[in-house]
Amino acid sequence: MATFVLVHGGGHGGWCYKLVAQRLRAMGHEVHAPSLSGLADRAHVLSHAIDLDTHIDDVAGLLEFEDLTQAILVGHSYGGMVITGAADRKPERVGHRVYLDAAYPRDGESLYEHAHEQIHMARQGLHDVGGVPMVMAPMPGFAAFFGVTDPELGAWTDARLTAQPWKCFEQKIVFRNEAAMRAIPESHLICTSTIPGRDMTLIDARSHGRVWDIDTGHDLMLTEPKWVAERLDAIAQGT
C-alpha cells in the first residue's frame, strides 16, 4: 500500500489529520502526520528563525530519515507551499503531490503574494510572542473561520489551534529542482467555494484532470474526512 505524509496548514498541527489518518491506516496505508516547527505539539521550539524554509526542511528531513520513497505528500492550505518545497528538495523520494484546498505557488512567490486577500487579513492580527512576530492568534470560535461549524468538532479544533509564525507567510519559495518537482504527478482536492480564485486551466493541465471538488469548509480533512480519505486512497491506487 501507499505511504502518505500529511502536512497541515497555518495554525494547525498533525492533529488535524487524525480522522483522515485513522481511515487511511485502516485501509492499510502508512501515514505520517508531523507537526511543523513552532506549531501544535512543537510550539515549544518556537523561535525567530522559523520560516517557510524551516517547514520545508521539516518535511524533507522526515522523508530522508524515515527513508521514504514514492511518498504521497498531501498539503492543506499553507501546507501546499511546504509540500511543493519538499518535493523540490527531495524529488527522488516523492511519488505524488496532493493539494488539499491548498496554496499552489510559483517560483519566487510567498503565500502573502499568492493568497494576498486572506493573508493580508491575517496580518492585521500581527502580534509578538517572545520576540517572534505571529499571526492567527487562536480564540474561542476561531474554528468557524476554517469552515468547522459543528459545535463539538469546533470546540475540539479551537482547543488545538496555535498562532502561526509570520515569516512563514512572508518568505518567498525558491525552487532548486523545478523540472524534477513538476514531473512528479499531482492531484487537487478543492473546496467548491475556492474554485473562482484559482487558475483552474493551469491546475487541470498540470494534473491531467486529477481535480475533485466538494462543497464544504476549508478544513475539509475535519469536515469531510471520509471523502478525503477515500479520494486519497483512490489517488494512491491510480483511480
Side-chain angles (χ1 to χ4, degrees), residues 59 63 68-74 83 86-98 180-181 183-185:
V59 177
L63 292 170
L68 304 183
T69 57
Q70 290 299 304
I72 300 176
L73 298 188
V74 181
I83 68 162
D88 177 75
R89 303 293 193 275
K90 299 289 181 180
E92 72 281 3
R93 292 191 174 274
V94 181
H96 207 110
R97 294 172 288 126
V98 182
M181 181 270 289
I184 299 168

Side-chain angles (χ1 to χ4, degrees), residues 1-2 23-30:
M1 301 300 283
R23 287 167 168 80
L24 290 175
R25 289 178 180 130
M27 295 170 183
H29 299 297
E30 178 182 347

Side-chain angles (χ1 to χ4, degrees), residues 160-173:
R160 288 160 176 79
L161 293 169
T162 47
Q164 171 77 28
W166 168 248
K167 287 175 70 174
C168 301
F169 291 173
E170 189 176 46
Q171 185 185 19
K172 299 175 186 294
I173 194 167

Side-chain angles (χ1 to χ4, degrees), residues 8-13 35-40 42-55 58 78 81-82 110-112 119 122-123 125-138 161-171:
H8 63 83
H12 289 59
S35 291
L36 301 172
S37 294
L39 293 153
R42 301 197 65 208
H44 63 288
V45 301
L46 178 67
S47 79
H48 190 271
I50 292 175
D51 56 16
L52 173 60
D53 276 341
T54 307
H55 290 163
D58 284 342
Y78 160 70
M81 303 286 294
V82 180
S110 68
L111 186 67
Y112 188 44
I119 304 305
R123 194 179 187 281
L126 192 67
H127 61 286
D128 183 277
V129 176
V132 182
M134 305 286 282
V135 292
M136 298 170 62
L161 293 169
T162 47
Q164 171 77 28
W166 168 248
K167 287 175 70 174
C168 301
F169 291 173
E170 189 176 46
Q171 185 185 19

Side-chain angles (χ1 to χ4, degrees), residues 65-214:
F65 282 91
E66 292 289 343
D67 196 20
L68 304 183
T69 57
Q70 290 299 304
I72 300 176
L73 298 188
V74 181
H76 172 251
S77 196
Y78 160 70
M81 303 286 294
V82 180
I83 68 162
T84 303
D88 177 75
R89 303 293 193 275
K90 299 289 181 180
E92 72 281 3
R93 292 191 174 274
V94 181
H96 207 110
R97 294 172 288 126
V98 182
Y99 293 84
L100 193 62
D101 209 43
Y104 187 61
R106 299 186 299 268
D107 190 24
E109 185 177 50
S110 68
L111 186 67
Y112 188 44
E113 294 164 324
H114 181 74
H116 180 75
E117 183 177 345
Q118 296 90 336
I119 304 305
H120 182 69
M121 185 185 306
R123 194 179 187 281
Q124 305 315 299
L126 192 67
H127 61 286
D128 183 277
V129 176
V132 182
M134 305 286 282
V135 292
M136 298 170 62
M139 63 188 74
F142 198 27
F145 175 78
F146 299 103
V148 182
T149 56
D150 176 81
E152 184 175 347
L153 184 59
W156 185 85
T157 302
D158 280 343
R160 288 160 176 79
L161 293 169
T162 47
Q164 171 77 28
W166 168 248
K167 287 175 70 174
C168 301
F169 291 173
E170 189 176 46
Q171 185 185 19
K172 299 175 186 294
I173 194 167
V174 177
F175 296 148
R176 302 173 186 174
N177 301 291
E178 184 171 7
M181 181 270 289
R182 295 290 181 206
I184 299 168
E186 65 182 66
S187 296
H188 297 257
L189 308 184
I190 299 173
C191 293
T192 308
S193 62
T194 68
I195 288 176
R198 300 180 182 277
D199 185 344
M200 296 305 298
T201 300
L202 178 65
I203 287 173
D204 190 66
R206 284 184 172 169
S207 68
H208 301 285
R210 290 187 295 266
V211 182
W212 298 269
D213 70 283
I214 186 170

